[in-house]
């Protein structure tokens, strides 16, 4: 089990620690609902240092990225980031990721913790153009400072104008007394804020300064359980649940990150799927009655026939109702369609809805 540079800090704070993607990670501190509400209303901090970071450099860096990723990275300018996915050869997804253009011919790829080795091997196997690749995952830490008060709470510890960093843009500058930190206006909560990339040796100083600066704003540490409820309220896909090696980006609703103006892995098949329409689709649903949908529960029609499966589900802390994502045949995927979630012996009525669940 790997530790992050802040594991002992989490333990000292009384966090409940669990194994996650091979790391010892804090799942909660005070409780999921309190932590969820903190991020929605004020500001909270996640240690997500388990995520992977690859640096791709050189004259052919963009060629490699364009080959392996579905989005069009040629649109990136220095200081911009882009959500994308790595398609496999069989119609599925190796991983989803964020691509940062750090400088000319230098890109940072941020990948999911559970897929670091798989992604590295996959991208390496496609690197027949001689791009330089470095796996920085073990050396770098990542804090997500999320919530509507994040800008206000953090402005005192940086000379950068945080309010000027627009969504999916970033700067490299000073933060909490450390130089050359990536301050990125990204996150997976839907409540605004920043992600801070720094070296492992720097993250404790940053953590301490962040909590000191945010004290009057009610800042709190947030665990992975609330990270999951926050992202699900926005309808953001979680790799291993809602997308994986067997799900296509088209059926997962990620056709917006598939740019067919350039060739990439399996692009011809994915473009054909987009044109003809997927046989099944990832839907969002809300329960019409009391109940909590969980991953793996069957989705059934009015006659009790299984038509799909829940990929993510929870009791939404913001909405006070059961919400979830799951795959069903396209005929059941229209907004306002009626479906049922099999919760133990009960088929609980649900309605297909538009994302996000949480409107802010």
């Amino acid at each position: 089990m790997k530790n992050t540079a802040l594991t002992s800090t989490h333990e000292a704070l009384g966090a409940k620690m669990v194994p996650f993607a091979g790391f010892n990670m804090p799942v909660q501190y005070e409780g999921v609902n309190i932590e969820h509400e903190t991020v929605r209303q004020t500001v909270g901090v996640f240690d997500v240092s388990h995520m992977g970071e690859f640096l791709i450099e050189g004259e052919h860096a963009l060629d490699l990225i364009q080959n392996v990723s579905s989005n069009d990275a040629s649109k990136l300018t220095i200081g911009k980031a882009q959500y994308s996915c790595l398609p496999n050869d069989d119609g599925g997804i190796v991983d989803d990721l964020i691509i940062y253009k750090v400088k000319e011919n230098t890109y940072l790829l941020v990948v999911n913790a559970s897929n670091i080795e798989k992604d590295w091997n996959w991208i390496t196997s496609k690197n027949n153009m001689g791009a330089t690749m470095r796996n920085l995952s073990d050396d770098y830490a990542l804090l997500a400072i999320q919530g509507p008060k994040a800008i206000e709470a953090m402005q005192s510890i940086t000379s950068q104008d945080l309010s000027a960093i627009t969504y999916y843009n970033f700067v490299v500058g000073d933060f909490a007394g450390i130089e050359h930190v990536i301050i990125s206006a990204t996150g997976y909560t839907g409540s605004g804020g920043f992600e801070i990339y720094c070296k492992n040796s720097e993250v404790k100083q940053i953590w301490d300064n962040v909590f000191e600066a945010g004290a009057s704003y009610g800042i709190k540490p947030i665990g992975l359980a609330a990270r999951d409820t926050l992202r699900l309220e926005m309808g953001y896909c979680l790799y291993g649940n809602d997308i994986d090696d067997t799900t296509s980006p088209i059926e997962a609703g990620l056709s917006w990150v598939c740019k067919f103006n350039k060739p990439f892995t399996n692009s011809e098949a994915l473009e054909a799927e987009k044109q003809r329409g997927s046989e099944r689709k990832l839907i969002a649903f809300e329960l019409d009655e009391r109940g909590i949908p969980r991953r793996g529960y069957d989705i059934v029609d009015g006659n009790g026939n299984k038509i799909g499966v829940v990929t993510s589900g929870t009791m939404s802390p913001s909405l006070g109702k059961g919400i979830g994502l799951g795959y069903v045949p396209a005929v059941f995927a229209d907004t306002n369609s009626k479906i049922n979630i099999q919760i133990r012996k009960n088929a609980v009525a649900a309605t297909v809805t538009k994302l996000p669940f949480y409107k802010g």
Side-chain angles (χ1 to χ4, degrees), residues 250 255-256 258 260 269-278:
I250 309 302
S255 58
W256 63 279
C258 297
F260 298 111
L270 292 176
E271 185 172 19
E273 182 187 344
K274 183 180 180 180
Q275 288 172 351
R276 72 173 179 268
S278 300

Side-chain angles (χ1 to χ4, degrees), residues 160-307:
Q160 304 295 320
D161 181 358
L162 296 180
S163 64
I165 309 173
T166 52
Y167 193 47
Y168 267 77
N169 285 254
F170 68 96
V171 297
V172 179
D174 64 287
F175 190 83
I178 304 291
E179 299 293 331
H180 309 299
V181 172
I182 293 177
I183 308 168
S184 175
T186 48
Y188 226 52
T189 65
S191 282
F194 299 92
E195 293 183 307
I196 305 296
Y197 296 85
C198 63
K199 292 177 181 170
N200 284 335
S201 58
E202 300 165 339
V203 72
K204 182 62 165 67
Q205 177 179 323
I206 291 178
W207 175 276
D208 291 343
N209 276 270
V210 162
F211 277 88
E212 188 178 335
S216 62
Y217 296 88
I219 197 168
K220 292 182 178 182
I222 314 294
L224 291 180
R227 183 173 168 86
D228 193 50
T229 56
L230 288 158
R231 70 91 193 167
L232 184 50
E233 285 187 347
M234 298 306 297
Y236 296 154
C237 289
L238 176 65
Y239 195 90
N241 283 38
D242 316 302
I243 52 175
D244 59 30
D245 290 301
T246 69
T247 59
S248 92
I250 309 302
E251 66 186 10
L254 296 177
S255 58
W256 63 279
V257 299
C258 297
K259 300 295 165 44
F260 298 111
N261 59 329
K262 54 121 194 183
F264 58 85
T265 306
N266 206 40
S267 57
E268 287 185 11
L270 292 176
E271 185 172 19
E273 182 187 344
K274 183 180 180 180
Q275 288 172 351
R276 72 173 179 268
S278 300
E279 292 180 9
R280 64 172 192 163
K281 290 184 177 178
L282 184 66
I283 56 155
F285 63 84
E286 295 182 355
L287 294 191
D288 300 336
E289 307 162 24
R290 288 187 62 81
I292 305 175
R294 299 291 187 195
R295 182 188 178 198
Y297 285 7
D298 286 348
I299 302 173
V300 298
D301 64 16
N303 297 317
N305 301 309
K306 179 179 176 179
I307 56 171

Side-chain angles (χ1 to χ4, degrees), residues 7-282:
T7 297
S8 59
T9 302
H10 304 311
E11 290 171 342
L13 288 168
K16 179 184 178 184
M17 306 295 287
V18 298
F20 182 82
F23 286 80
N24 190 21
M25 297 295 290
V27 68
Q28 64 179 48
Y29 300 83
E30 289 182 79
V32 180
N33 287 356
I34 293 171
E35 293 167 34
H36 181 107
E37 202 59 24
T38 296
V39 174
R40 285 282 181 251
Q41 301 300 328
T42 54
V43 58
V45 185
F46 305 80
D47 175 15
V48 281
S49 302
H50 59 318
M51 300 289 279
E53 293 88 17
F54 305 155
L55 202 65
I56 299 187
E57 302 174 284
E59 185 184 348
H60 298 291
L62 180 59
D63 296 334
L64 174 57
I65 291 166
Q66 290 287 70
N67 183 31
V68 297
S69 67
S70 61
N71 211 333
D72 186 0
S74 71
K75 301 287 190 215
L76 287 172
T77 53
I78 295 168
K80 287 194 177 294
Q82 180 184 80
Y83 180 68
S84 190
C85 76
L86 304 174
N88 63 25
D89 291 320
D90 307 312
I93 301 170
V94 177
D95 203 3
D96 61 336
L97 75 164
I98 297 181
I99 301 167
Y100 295 82
K101 186 168 184 177
V102 182
K103 51 190 176 187
E104 214 52 57
N105 297 330
T106 301
Y107 298 83
L108 181 69
L109 275 53
V110 180
V111 303
N112 285 299
S114 55
N115 291 335
I116 292 172
E117 185 178 1
K118 181 178 80 162
D119 291 357
W120 178 262
N121 292 339
W122 176 258
I123 297 170
T124 300
S125 75
K126 299 291 185 180
N127 185 18
N128 55 12
M129 58 281 293
T132 301
M133 295 174 55
R134 290 161 60 197
N135 186 349
L136 308 178
S137 305
D138 290 339
D139 303 321
Y140 275 77
L142 173 56
L143 299 182
I145 306 169
Q146 298 283 293
K149 297 288 187 184
I151 292 175
E152 200 179 335
M154 294 300 111
Q155 190 56 70
S156 65
I157 57 173
T158 177
S159 65
Q160 304 295 320
D161 181 358
L162 296 180
S163 64
I165 309 173
T166 52
Y167 193 47
Y168 267 77
N169 285 254
F170 68 96
V171 297
V172 179
D174 64 287
F175 190 83
I178 304 291
E179 299 293 331
H180 309 299
V181 172
I182 293 177
I183 308 168
S184 175
T186 48
Y188 226 52
T189 65
S191 282
F194 299 92
E195 293 183 307
I196 305 296
Y197 296 85
C198 63
K199 292 177 181 170
N200 284 335
S201 58
E202 300 165 339
V203 72
K204 182 62 165 67
Q205 177 179 323
I206 291 178
W207 175 276
D208 291 343
N209 276 270
V210 162
F211 277 88
E212 188 178 335
S216 62
Y217 296 88
I219 197 168
K220 292 182 178 182
I222 314 294
L224 291 180
R227 183 173 168 86
D228 193 50
T229 56
L230 288 158
R231 70 91 193 167
L232 184 50
E233 285 187 347
M234 298 306 297
Y236 296 154
C237 289
L238 176 65
Y239 195 90
N241 283 38
D242 316 302
I243 52 175
D244 59 30
D245 290 301
T246 69
T247 59
S248 92
I250 309 302
E251 66 186 10
L254 296 177
S255 58
W256 63 279
V257 299
C258 297
K259 300 295 165 44
F260 298 111
N261 59 329
K262 54 121 194 183
F264 58 85
T265 306
N266 206 40
S267 57
E268 287 185 11
L270 292 176
E271 185 172 19
E273 182 187 344
K274 183 180 180 180
Q275 288 172 351
R276 72 173 179 268
S278 300
E279 292 180 9
R280 64 172 192 163
K281 290 184 177 178
L282 184 66

